[in-house]
Amino acid sequence: MTEPSTRTVVHDTFVIDRTFKAPPAKVFRAFSDPAEKWKWFGRPPEGWRPEVQTMDFRIGGREISDGGPVSGPTILYEAVFHDIVPDERIITSYVMWVAPQDASHPLWERYAATGDPRAREQLILDGRRISVSQATVEVLPAEGGTRLILTEQGAYFDGPEAAAGREQGFADMVDALVRSLE
Amino acid sequence: MLQYQETPLDLVFQALADQTRREMVERLSRGPASVSELAAPFAMSLSAVGQHLKVLEASGLVRSEKHGRVRTCRLEAQTMRRAQQWISLRRAHWEQRLDRLGEYLDADDSNETATGSQP
């Protein structure tokens, strides 16, 4: 029997709910001011490379945050800000790609050193679009601080390269990513 | 450690809680099948089989596609597993980032709580 298309999409939503002691305006600034955001968002976990990040915080503006494990694949992230309510809410949609290059690959090294958009384009071409998501950050006053609710609604892709034998490579990449966080 | 997202797994468990659906999954584990092939071993109407199929599809375990007049079903367990890994990774990433946000806010707070400002 001929195999039908192996393209699939899985939808999922997850919510993370945290409370911080800082006031809402300060928590919001940690997301909206690039210099402040860099201090926490830009700090990679152990074993991960310093990220290449840019942020244009306004409606229609873009955010790029590219990195990945040192000895694993490159993860590229590109978001657009769709809704901004100062001190209250930020809504973005974003695309993610996974590319095979690790931190010592010349293409990544060139991109990390120069931010060359052509190097980024090449990483995207070599990689695979893995998900398209919407992220909502709600900043709410709470007893003694701020409640932050992050809601991610995603469409996660799978399968298009199966026939070309790239599927296993992709599974290996995801496995490597998961291991790097354990 | 990573936690798999609960909702889809709940749906998977719900789907597999039923003997008929377990047998359908077992059949599909040997390869794709049409709805009538899938229904053949069971003494039930095609529409009842369709209902079971719907539950299996909602769980992400099974996917079906219509080619002409034939609906072909196939197992998607691997897809589900891989997508789940990626979702778990996204979530773990955010949990870690928000840990760092907490540290950053706490560190910064020590400089600023002197003003005594509370929301």
Side-chain angles (χ1 to χ4, degrees):
Chain A
M1 175 177 280
T2 48
E3 288 279 300
S5 160
T6 56
R7 286 174 205 275
T8 59
V9 59
V10 173
H11 295 93
D12 196 87
T13 298
F14 66 80
V15 180
I16 301 176
D17 191 332
R18 296 271 187 111
T19 302
F20 299 105
K21 277 180 281 180
K26 194 180 172 81
V27 173
F28 187 84
R29 194 151 54 88
F31 282 87
S32 60
D33 179 330
E36 296 305 308
K37 189 169 183 179
W38 174 256
K39 290 178 191 168
W40 62 276
F41 191 85
R43 256 175 58 212
E46 203 174 318
W48 285 54
R49 14 181 157 159
E51 297 202 334
V52 178
Q53 294 181 323
T54 61
M55 182 166 90
D56 179 12
F57 190 74
R58 60 186 170 86
I59 291 182
R62 277 171 197 271
E63 178 179 33
I64 283 174
S65 178
D66 302 330
V70 170
S71 53
T74 297
I75 303 174
L76 302 117
Y77 164 100
E78 189 166 327
V80 178
F81 295 102
H82 295 293
D83 184 51
I84 296 172
V85 181
D87 298 343
E88 289 181 29
R89 190 174 69 216
I90 301 165
I91 302 180
T92 54
S93 65
Y94 68 86
V95 187
M96 295 194 85
W97 298 265
V98 176
Q101 289 84 355
D102 66 13
S104 60
H105 191 281
L107 187 58
W108 171 262
E109 285 185 336
R110 178 155 67 92
Y111 177 53
T114 64
D116 181 357
R118 282 168 307 172
R120 186 173 198 267
E121 271 169 35
Q122 190 58 53
L123 287 165
I124 287 172
L125 280 173
D126 289 352
R128 188 177 143 163
R129 192 166 55 246
I130 184 168
S131 63
V132 176
S133 307
Q134 173 177 296
T136 302
V137 174
E138 292 169 89
V139 176
L140 306 162
E143 183 78 29
T146 302
R147 185 173 169 207
L148 186 142
I149 305 171
L150 173 89
T151 306
E152 288 229 343
Q153 298 160 283
Y156 302 87
F157 310 136
D158 212 347
E161 284 85 3
R166 285 180 63 190
E167 186 66 6
Q168 191 50 46
F170 172 69
D172 290 346
M173 285 200 290
V174 171
D175 287 346
L177 288 171
V178 170
R179 275 198 307 276
S180 71
L181 276 174
E182 278 171 350
Chain B
M1 285 297 292
L2 294 169
Q3 294 287 318
Y4 285 144
Q5 180 66 18
E6 283 157 25
T7 320
L9 280 187
D10 281 352
L11 290 175
V12 170
F13 291 133
Q14 272 172 33
L16 295 177
D18 179 89
Q19 176 66 28
T20 303
R21 291 196 289 269
R22 280 199 298 275
E23 284 176 30
M24 289 166 76
V25 167
E26 208 276 320
R27 164 64 189 86
L28 290 173
S29 71
R30 285 174 280 147
S34 68
V35 175
S36 46
E37 284 170 331
L38 209 52
F42 303 108
M44 59 173 74
S45 67
L46 270 183
S47 85
V49 168
Q51 287 302 313
H52 283 303
L53 200 54
K54 232 179 228 176
V55 177
L56 288 169
E57 286 194 88
S59 75
L61 281 169
V62 170
R63 182 163 169 245
S64 74
E65 275 180 352
K66 200 155 189 178
H67 298 279
R69 296 174 59 194
V70 179
R71 180 167 288 281
T72 302
C73 311
R74 59 204 299 273
L75 209 55
E76 289 288 7
Q78 281 302 103
T79 295
M80 197 61 188
R81 192 182 70 83
R82 229 165 277 149
Q84 280 303 319
Q85 281 185 322
W86 178 246
I87 294 161
S88 301
L89 188 75
R90 291 295 306 146
R91 191 190 174 101
H93 231 132
W94 264 116
E95 298 277 7
Q96 286 188 333
R97 279 196 154 137
L98 294 180
D99 287 347
R100 295 197 292 278
L101 171 62
E103 288 164 19
Y104 152 83
L105 290 169
D106 284 348
D108 230 32
D109 256 4
S110 57
N111 305 326
E112 291 189 19
T113 39
T115 62
S117 64
Q118 279 290 321

